[in-house]
Amino acid sequence: MLKNFMKALTLGGCIATIATAPAAFADKLDDVINAGELRCGVVLDFPPIGYRDANNEPAGFDVEYCKDLAKALDVDATILPVTWAERLPVIATNRADVVFGGTSDSLERAKTVGFSIPYAIYYAQAVVGKDSGVKSFEDLKGKRVAAAVGTVPEQEYLKYAKEWGVEDLYQGYQSENEVFLAVAQGKADVGITTNTAVKPIVEQYDTIDAGPRMPWTTDFTSVVGPRLDVTWLNYLNLFVTHQVRSGRYQELWNTYVGGEAPELRIPGVLY
């Protein structure tokens, strides 16, 4: 009888535990829909991908991408301006739901945040002072080179600077606007940015010319979300796919960059 009693007690305890167990937590997709708001971290000193227009309102390729995602979710879009260095922390601390900010999907970063499939592709290029004499990448030796802190251009260039023994000539700035201003004012000879930013910067500053392309690989960038939320990342992947299939990706690229949008498929990789 004691054995039967203990068996009944154990079964009853399991039933009670199941009955009183809390409901499963909603994931990020549910959170955003229930909140009625999508919080997008966007770098706004990265024209024409992200910038402020004549009315000081957020504009650009990434801003429109955020608005498109909010529309698909039937929620309001909130643009949160972030610096390059803030792109991962705003996700890790849940201050943003996604980041659109030219973020390369490196394995090191993937230890902290999650990444969608690529939504935009860039390559690194320099802007140079008109009197700098810089025509090729090799000409950067011995020059004062600037880039934004926490970016792939900074990380990649510093590898060469160390090899050349000119790390002391490097200048790191918190934003690309500061990088461009330093070159325009002659405080730096070279600023490293992406190819999409070169044309508007050259048009903005009389003292800056387009410089050489950097030798490192093409930069595949992803939408950033929480690392553990697979459902949200799957939704972001599907959203990026729909942007391409609908022609919206090409439309946005035509509007803000011009020309044929880069192919998003990585050679030898199946998406």
Side-chain angles (χ1 to χ4, degrees):
M1 290 183 63
L2 179 60
K3 183 178 180 180
N4 289 338
F5 173 76
M6 293 301 295
K7 185 176 181 180
L9 182 61
T10 301
L11 181 59
C14 290
I15 293 173
T17 300
I18 294 172
T20 59
F25 288 106
D27 58 21
K28 174 62 73 174
L29 180 58
D30 288 334
D31 289 343
V32 170
I33 293 173
N34 291 337
E37 177 190 30
L38 176 70
R39 301 169 300 166
C40 297
V42 180
V43 178
L44 294 180
D45 71 328
F46 186 37
I49 306 303
Y51 61 97
R52 291 189 180 276
D53 63 19
N55 297 317
N56 203 35
E57 294 296 324
F61 180 88
D62 280 350
V63 173
E64 292 303 316
Y65 232 98
C66 171
K67 291 179 179 178
D68 286 351
L69 177 56
K71 182 178 180 180
L73 292 163
D74 195 24
V75 299
D76 295 328
T78 297
I79 305 297
L80 303 174
V82 296
T83 64
W84 296 106
E86 292 172 332
R87 290 174 296 173
L88 273 57
V90 295
I91 292 294
T93 58
N94 195 33
R95 286 180 286 152
D97 303 308
V98 291
V99 164
F100 293 93
T103 309
S104 306
D105 52 356
S106 72
L107 290 175
E108 186 61 32
R109 287 171 171 172
K111 296 175 183 177
T112 303
V113 297
F115 292 93
S116 74
I117 59 177
Y119 83 105
I121 295 177
Y122 310 107
Y123 60 81
Q125 185 175 351
V127 291
V128 302
K130 285 187 178 294
D131 300 325
S132 67
V134 174
K135 302 296 182 183
S136 69
F137 178 71
E138 292 297 320
D139 292 336
L140 269 61
K141 291 181 181 179
K143 300 295 184 180
R144 298 166 300 166
V145 177
V149 173
T151 60
V152 168
E154 177 187 62
Q155 296 165 5
E156 293 297 325
Y157 172 73
L158 285 176
K159 295 176 185 177
Y160 288 91
K162 183 177 181 179
E163 181 182 327
W164 295 337
V166 295
E167 293 170 283
D168 59 316
L169 294 177
Y170 174 73
Q171 301 174 17
Y173 292 90
Q174 289 301 312
S175 71
E176 287 213 327
N177 281 337
E178 293 175 88
V179 172
F180 302 141
L181 187 60
V183 177
Q185 294 178 342
K187 297 178 181 178
D189 302 303
V190 179
I192 305 177
T193 182
T194 60
N195 56 307
T196 56
V198 172
K199 185 174 182 292
I201 294 307
V202 169
E203 291 175 347
Q204 180 179 350
Y205 294 104
D206 294 335
T207 54
I208 292 181
D209 282 336
R213 178 172 176 172
M214 300 296 100
W216 47 87
T217 59
T218 302
D219 195 7
F220 293 88
T221 67
S222 300
V223 186
V224 184
R227 178 172 64 90
L228 298 178
D229 205 323
V230 177
T231 304
W232 183 234
L233 295 174
N234 284 342
Y235 186 87
L236 295 178
N237 285 341
L238 187 59
F239 170 70
V240 170
T241 300
H242 275 266
Q243 288 286 89
V244 175
R245 285 161 56 183
S246 68
R248 179 62 170 162
Y249 165 60
Q250 179 63 62
E251 179 186 348
L252 290 176
W253 195 266
N254 279 338
T255 300
Y256 292 101
V257 181
E260 188 70 20
E263 176 67 54
L264 294 178
R265 287 180 295 184
I266 303 173
V269 176
L270 176 63
Y271 277 119

